[in-house]
Amino acid sequence: MRHYEIVLIIHPDQSEQVPAMVERYKGVVTSKGGVVHRFEDWGRRQMAYQIQKLAKAHYLCLNIEANQDVLQELEHSFKFSDAVLRHLIVKMDKAETQPSIMMRSVEREEARKAQPEQVA
């Protein structure tokens, strides 16, 4: 089996359905003997350019280990889902389990927002 990193850009109106979508995709991978090594929800973010007249979207990242059949099934479901604006599947050399650079920046951003405002 090969390692893949999948990044999904989800329509912002579908943000509340993201957990169900993720569980469905994880189920597809694990039901066929694959493994989900890492899942990251990067949240709603500004896009570099508009897609379907949308400026923001919900971003997800999955690192999986699966065979070609699973990958084809996932790609087919991404293509025919109205919620998925774009998807990117990249073959990796090994399993990535550490938080990505993007996730670390999201965590820093959330920590900064959680700190009380300091008055100088």
Side-chain angles (χ1 to χ4, degrees):
M1 287 198 276
R2 294 187 173 154
H3 300 277
Y4 299 97
E5 181 169 271
I6 302 170
V7 178
L8 300 172
I9 301 177
I10 309 294
H11 195 287
D13 293 344
Q14 304 292 325
S15 288
E16 59 274 356
Q17 275 95 22
V18 166
M21 291 171 63
V22 169
E23 288 306 313
R24 185 170 61 242
Y25 298 144
K26 284 182 178 180
V28 169
V29 172
T30 56
S31 69
K32 306 256 172 108
V35 179
V36 178
H37 291 287
R38 174 175 71 179
F39 164 69
E40 295 179 348
D41 185 348
W42 296 341
R44 192 178 287 203
R45 314 212 36 97
Q46 184 76 27
M47 292 192 285
Y49 58 91
Q50 288 190 354
I51 299 173
Q52 299 176 4
K53 298 183 182 178
L54 299 168
K56 291 189 174 195
H58 199 101
Y59 285 75
L60 301 174
C61 179
L62 287 158
N63 284 81
I64 64 170
E65 182 178 353
N67 59 25
Q68 191 64 33
D69 294 336
V70 172
L71 198 64
Q72 287 175 342
E73 186 175 340
L74 284 173
E75 192 163 17
H76 184 268
S77 64
F78 297 154
K79 283 182 181 178
F80 293 105
S81 172
D82 293 336
V84 179
L85 297 174
R86 296 282 190 275
H87 69 277
L88 175 69
I89 301 173
V90 179
K91 183 179 169 235
M92 305 294 283
D93 292 330
K94 60 183 176 70
E96 293 290 332
T97 57
Q98 299 297 320
S100 66
I101 294 171
M102 185 68 185
M103 192 63 192
R104 282 182 258 160
S105 71
V106 168
E107 289 170 352
R108 277 195 306 270
E109 201 173 283
E110 288 174 356
R112 187 176 41 87
K113 286 180 183 177
Q115 288 178 346
E117 293 287 325
Q118 295 183 5
V119 180

